[in-house]
Amino acid sequence: QQSGLSKKRYCEENGVNETTFYYWFSRSKENDAASGSFISIDKACRNSAVEVIYPNGVRIKVDTDLGLLSQLIRLY
């Protein structure tokens, strides 16, 4: 959208397979619809478990100091 080009033209100019582009384009729309917004984690709960559940059912549970988790996230 930012380029002002049609999807087809964008793919041609950037060497992107059009089928791949449409696949990821549709996935991004699904993610936009399924995702909420950022949530705040209370710093008072520094030694609590945090669990992230993705729309595809994958769960990641981190049972560590939230300060450490915050530092790790900032690295990436």
Side-chain angles (χ1 to χ4, degrees):
Q1 287 176 325
Q2 291 175 349
S3 70
L5 301 172
S6 69
K7 293 175 183 84
K8 181 176 181 153
R9 180 71 179 207
Y10 179 86
C11 290
E12 289 171 355
E13 289 189 10
N14 291 281
V16 176
N17 177 291
E18 204 170 338
T19 303
T20 303
F21 176 87
Y22 279 103
Y23 170 79
W24 287 110
F25 182 77
S26 68
R27 291 294 306 263
S28 72
K29 287 183 156 254
E30 289 172 16
N31 289 340
D32 288 346
S35 69
S37 59
F38 286 99
I39 61 168
S40 146
I41 298 175
D42 187 353
K43 291 183 180 181
C45 303
R46 293 187 67 86
N47 291 315
S48 299
V50 174
E51 186 173 21
V52 177
I53 304 170
Y54 288 93
N56 65 358
V58 171
R59 292 172 177 246
I60 299 174
K61 185 174 182 179
V62 179
D63 190 14
T64 188
D65 182 310
L66 293 180
L68 174 61
L69 178 60
S70 176
Q71 289 174 357
L72 292 172
I73 290 171
R74 284 190 211 132
L75 290 174
Y76 298 98

